[in-house]
Amino acid sequence: MLGTGTIPLIGYQEVAFGVPPSAETALADGLPPALLDLLACIGQVALQRGQPLYLVGGPVRDLLLRRPVMDIDLVTEGDAVDLARAVAQRFGGQVSAVSQFLTAKVRFPLWTVDLATARREIYPSPGALPVVQPGSIHDDLARRDFTINAIAIDLTPARWGHLLDPFGGYGDVQGRLVRILHDRSFQDDATRILRALRYEQRLGFALEAHTCYALKRDRGFLDTISGDRLRREVERVFQEPMPERVLGRAHDLGVLGSLFPGLQWGEEHRQALIRWREEGREVSPLLFLALLAYPLSLERAEALVRRLRLPRRWAEVVRHTLQAREIVARWASPPRPSQVIESLAPLRPEAVEACAILSTEQAHRQTLRAYLDTWRSLRPRLSAMDLLALGVPQGPWVGRLLAELRARVADGLLATEEEERAYVRRRLHTLKEEP
Amino acid sequence: MSTEEACVVCGSNLDAEHRARCIYCGGVFHQPWSANAPVPTCGRIFAHADAQGLVFACLRCAQAMLEQRQR
């Protein structure tokens, strides 16, 4: 006997050692039979053309994790576009989205398959787009971001289901680790920093120790990424099921501050958003932009708009958030509902929501919730047509009177349609004296 | 007396190559070292990222250890 009892192996992770097992079972369990048949047929066509065919990247990772597979990404050594055309012709698909990087989509009635030529990438300088050349499947796996995304399943008939795993991705799937393929990975492409955090939080993985060290060391390389690329990565964070987890982790690792100085997702953000979700409220992707913008100064907010080259709607969210924050800060005593509506109605709802979440005054938070839940949707019972029928002249007066009615309805001064009509009739007498 | 050794997990005979010894019970079990090895996997392997330690455990002991760790 070498040991007695059972000592927990603290700090140890289970690994798949040696050659990983066949993924044939994972394929059979994770994909519908008809799709498996289609992949087998594509593998057959590829074989006839002398081209190895592999399922690669995210779908392989998700198959091994027994998660739903969303995309079918295939890689072949050789011309993928020609193979796509041959496959489409043989099985009745349509080829689209042919790109300069030798990639194509084949649309079948039930599925769309992405086919790419195996390629190698060379990064001329940090943050620059890579130079792409055709290469082997090993080159193709070597250019990928993390080991869990650098696994391929062979779809060639004789090797069906064999796992190609040159970087130990299978072990990292088992050990639930996000690991870069080489030390300079984040320097080559710093958008991988945000991707690492997204995978970690979405899959419930952890950053492997050296990956975590390299991420913190290289977070300054986010400066090398263009505004458009950075914004797209930030948008992907906002579209995660729980963006706050990614943002919290990014804050803790100093990534948010490297992304843009002043961005934060501290304890205050975390607790406030938990309360917001507990109230059963919707959380839209752009709300996270508003929450990030909330503490910024006007100058920093404008710099953020420029740095991320924010499109009009995003920029509006940032600017409106600061406007809403200033409006709310000026509320000395509880404002009337009509005042709240008048000042906040022109602003985007995400901006008001951010204030309702992060305002330090409880009374303000309650007022903003009342606005979001009730006041903003209040309308007078009378319509524009009713006003015209009552004798209001066509033109700006119709809109102005509707706004007056709305304000009085919100303040509880007009409780019935008849009271609204009486108010309009009274106003008609005074209209002539007003500009 | 037979010179063949049996796997402590599945009881079938072990070959000279595809085997490992359990850190807990000291028994020898089937551990395939290649993709097409004609033996079952009767153990689990654990690694320590910092210590670079590698530990082998037969399925029975590994299961008991993991259950204890969860507790």
Side-chain angles (χ1 to χ4, degrees):
Chain A
M1 288 280 279
L2 286 183
T4 54
T6 49
I7 308 154
L9 293 168
I10 304 298
Y12 279 79
Q13 300 273 2
E14 185 171 4
V15 295
F17 192 75
V19 181
S22 164
E24 197 170 347
T25 316
L27 275 175
D29 291 349
L31 299 180
L35 179 56
L36 282 175
D37 289 346
L38 177 64
L39 293 180
C41 291
I42 298 174
Q44 189 67 44
V45 173
L47 177 68
Q48 286 163 3
R49 299 165 54 87
Q51 294 181 237
L53 184 73
Y54 304 90
L55 183 68
V56 292
V60 175
R61 178 198 68 220
D62 290 337
L63 277 174
L64 296 175
L65 284 168
R66 300 290 194 269
R67 289 169 61 92
V69 173
M70 309 308 286
D71 306 297
I72 297 296
D73 296 327
L74 304 180
V75 163
T76 184
E77 289 177 358
D79 193 328
V81 178
D82 266 6
L83 176 61
R85 291 197 177 110
V87 164
Q89 192 176 21
R90 184 99 164 254
F91 305 113
Q94 278 195 326
V95 178
S96 64
V98 174
S99 90
Q100 56 174 332
F101 297 122
L102 294 174
T103 62
K105 274 186 194 299
V106 191
R107 293 180 195 283
F108 295 99
L110 290 179
W111 294 287
T112 298
V113 170
D114 285 300
L115 258 168
T117 299
R119 57 193 201 251
R120 82 166 56 100
E121 286 180 353
I122 298 158
Y123 286 86
S125 63
L129 286 174
V131 177
V132 175
Q133 297 168 344
S136 67
I137 183 67
H138 282 90
D139 293 329
D140 198 274
L141 295 177
R143 74 184 174 82
R144 290 170 186 266
D145 47 9
F146 308 110
T147 57
I148 54 170
N149 294 331
I151 317 171
I153 297 178
D154 205 328
L155 299 180
T156 311
R159 298 189 299 275
W160 177 266
H162 280 209
L163 220 51
L164 194 63
D165 181 27
F167 301 100
Y170 180 80
D172 286 339
V173 169
Q174 302 296 309
R176 307 186 82 77
L177 291 173
V178 177
R179 185 196 305 263
I180 43 177
L181 268 57
H182 59 90
D183 182 56
R184 296 169 62 87
S185 180
F186 292 130
Q187 297 178 19
D188 281 347
D189 181 359
T191 61
R192 288 172 178 164
I193 290 173
L194 289 172
R195 286 215 293 280
L197 302 183
R198 281 200 293 119
Y199 285 127
E200 184 193 42
Q201 298 304 314
R202 190 202 307 162
L203 300 174
F205 279 30
L207 290 180
E208 175 269 332
H210 181 74
T211 301
C212 189
Y213 161 78
L215 184 146
K216 286 192 274 189
R217 182 195 64 196
D218 295 337
R219 61 195 176 205
F221 281 80
L222 283 164
D223 284 348
T224 64
I225 304 298
S226 72
D228 286 328
R229 287 190 69 211
L230 207 50
R231 186 188 65 250
R232 279 195 289 274
E233 287 301 327
V234 170
E235 190 171 8
R236 287 181 186 122
V237 171
F238 293 164
Q239 286 165 346
E240 287 290 315
M242 298 289 275
E244 59 266 41
R245 291 186 184 163
V246 183
L247 294 170
R249 186 80 162 122
H251 175 92
D252 293 344
L253 293 170
V255 171
L256 271 188
S258 298
L259 184 74
F260 185 80
L263 292 188
Q264 52 181 283
W265 196 273
E267 199 50 37
E268 186 187 328
H269 278 72
R270 289 170 218 213
Q271 294 304 324
L273 195 67
I274 288 171
R275 285 197 297 273
W276 185 257
R277 282 200 189 270
E278 282 174 352
E279 290 170 23
R281 294 175 183 278
E282 294 276 316
V283 179
S284 65
L286 279 182
L287 173 58
F288 289 93
L289 177 66
L291 291 168
L292 287 172
Y294 185 85
L296 297 179
S297 68
L298 194 60
E299 294 75 24
R300 297 307 301 156
E302 285 304 321
L304 177 69
V305 169
R306 288 194 299 276
R307 170 66 180 108
L308 295 183
R309 291 172 49 83
L310 298 185
R312 191 179 58 83
R313 198 157 65 98
W314 284 49
E316 259 180 25
V317 168
V318 171
R319 291 175 181 136
H320 287 185
T321 300
L322 269 58
Q323 285 176 34
R325 187 187 69 192
E326 296 309 311
I327 289 167
V328 173
R330 285 198 297 270
W331 290 346
S333 55
R336 288 197 314 275
S338 58
Q339 290 175 315
V340 177
I341 294 171
E342 189 183 353
S343 57
L344 298 182
L347 305 183
R348 291 197 58 89
E350 297 90 347
V352 182
E353 286 166 358
C355 293
I357 293 170
L358 290 178
S359 176
T360 50
E361 297 286 331
Q362 191 186 2
H364 292 168
R365 293 199 301 270
Q366 284 173 348
T367 301
L368 289 162
R369 279 164 168 76
Y371 166 77
L372 290 165
D373 294 343
T374 313
W375 300 345
R376 70 171 165 169
S377 53
L378 282 178
R379 295 287 179 274
R381 295 160 191 87
L382 296 183
S383 67
M385 295 301 288
D386 294 328
L387 263 56
L388 291 173
L390 283 167
V392 177
Q394 279 190 346
W397 273 110
V398 175
R400 240 191 264 184
L401 279 181
L402 280 174
E404 287 180 21
L405 285 173
R406 185 187 184 191
R408 278 155 182 77
V409 168
D411 291 342
L413 302 174
L414 299 174
T416 65
E417 184 175 325
E418 198 39 55
E419 287 178 8
E420 289 182 26
R421 287 179 188 280
Y423 175 80
V424 173
R425 287 192 197 100
R426 282 200 304 278
R427 288 290 283 124
L428 275 171
H429 291 300
T430 56
L431 284 186
K432 292 173 205 135
E433 293 141 33
E434 292 183 28
Chain B
M1 183 180 154
S2 168
T3 55
E4 287 184 335
E5 205 171 357
C7 170
V8 294
V9 176
C10 71
S12 60
N13 287 343
L14 292 155
D15 64 18
E17 186 184 356
H18 300 295
R19 54 164 57 200
R21 191 175 290 278
C22 176
I23 186 179
Y24 292 119
C25 67
V28 187
F29 59 89
H30 285 117
Q31 175 59 49
W33 292 115
S34 61
N36 302 317
V39 299
T41 302
C42 294
R44 296 168 81 165
I45 306 173
F46 301 87
H48 196 294
D50 298 329
Q52 297 188 333
L54 208 56
V55 163
F56 301 83
C58 73
L59 281 180
R60 291 185 306 192
C61 294
Q63 191 61 34
M65 184 274 289
L66 288 173
E67 281 171 10
Q68 182 172 331
R69 187 152 79 173
Q70 279 165 11
R71 281 201 296 273

